[in-house]
Amino acid sequence: GTDIIVGFPGETEADFAQTIELVEQVRYDSAFTFVYSPRAGTEAAAMSDQVQHDVKIERMERLVEVTQRVAREQNEARVGGVEEVLVEGASRTEPSLLRGRTRRNTTVVFSGGAAAGELVDVRIEAATSTTLRGVQDALVAA
């Protein structure tokens, strides 16, 4: 994963295009994206080549679209595979399911019988840009 700030003073459309190209090439599993906002007393806030707010917002929307698409593609490529998951506990949104994280720090919601703190293998059956879904692999073989 990575953090990306859009609209730092002096950022040109060409600079932003390079950011998009980098995201496409690196293929981050996740990205925290932010719009630059000046902070009083900083050198950047005093720079004369501030990027207009509407330009920053438009660039942010394009960046989010690309980062979400890439993350979804990355996760969809994992469907059908088995991932080792550290169980965190019950899913926050579906209490009948478990929630955990892969070694790549991807959230997985799955059916199974493990306890928090256990490492289990989960067969991945579906994916979004942020979450994998599956079933504890021992249950698949049973």
Side-chain angles (χ1 to χ4, degrees):
T2 190
D3 294 347
I4 304 171
I5 296 174
V6 171
F8 189 81
E11 179 186 71
T12 65
E13 184 60 33
D15 295 331
F16 179 72
Q18 286 183 329
T19 299
I20 295 292
E21 184 179 326
L22 179 73
V23 169
E24 292 276 9
Q25 288 178 0
V26 174
R27 305 200 52 80
Y28 295 105
D29 287 340
S30 63
F32 291 101
T33 56
F34 306 91
V35 171
Y36 166 78
S37 58
R39 299 289 187 257
T42 64
E43 288 183 38
M47 295 172 86
S48 62
D49 50 356
Q50 300 290 319
V51 176
Q52 292 181 2
H53 181 73
D54 62 330
V55 171
K56 291 190 280 190
I57 296 304
E58 187 271 333
R59 288 178 182 168
M60 175 63 117
E61 289 171 354
R62 289 179 2 208
L63 177 62
V64 167
E65 182 179 308
V66 171
T67 58
Q68 287 182 344
R69 177 182 50 77
V70 167
R72 184 182 65 253
E73 291 169 358
Q74 291 290 93
N75 283 344
E76 286 174 347
R78 298 160 81 177
V79 172
V82 175
E83 302 253 351
E84 185 177 48
V85 174
L86 174 62
V87 180
E88 295 177 329
S91 166
R92 292 182 194 120
T93 57
E94 299 177 66
S96 65
L97 300 176
L98 296 172
R99 179 191 76 248
R101 294 200 176 260
T102 68
R103 290 190 177 273
R104 288 166 55 177
N105 200 33
T106 307
T107 299
V108 183
V109 176
F110 62 100
S111 58
E118 285 187 69
L119 285 171
V120 296
D121 289 332
V122 174
R123 180 162 310 279
I124 305 304
E125 298 179 334
T128 68
S129 63
T130 58
T131 306
L132 301 173
R133 294 185 68 90
V135 61
Q136 191 171 334
D137 199 44
L139 300 177
V140 172

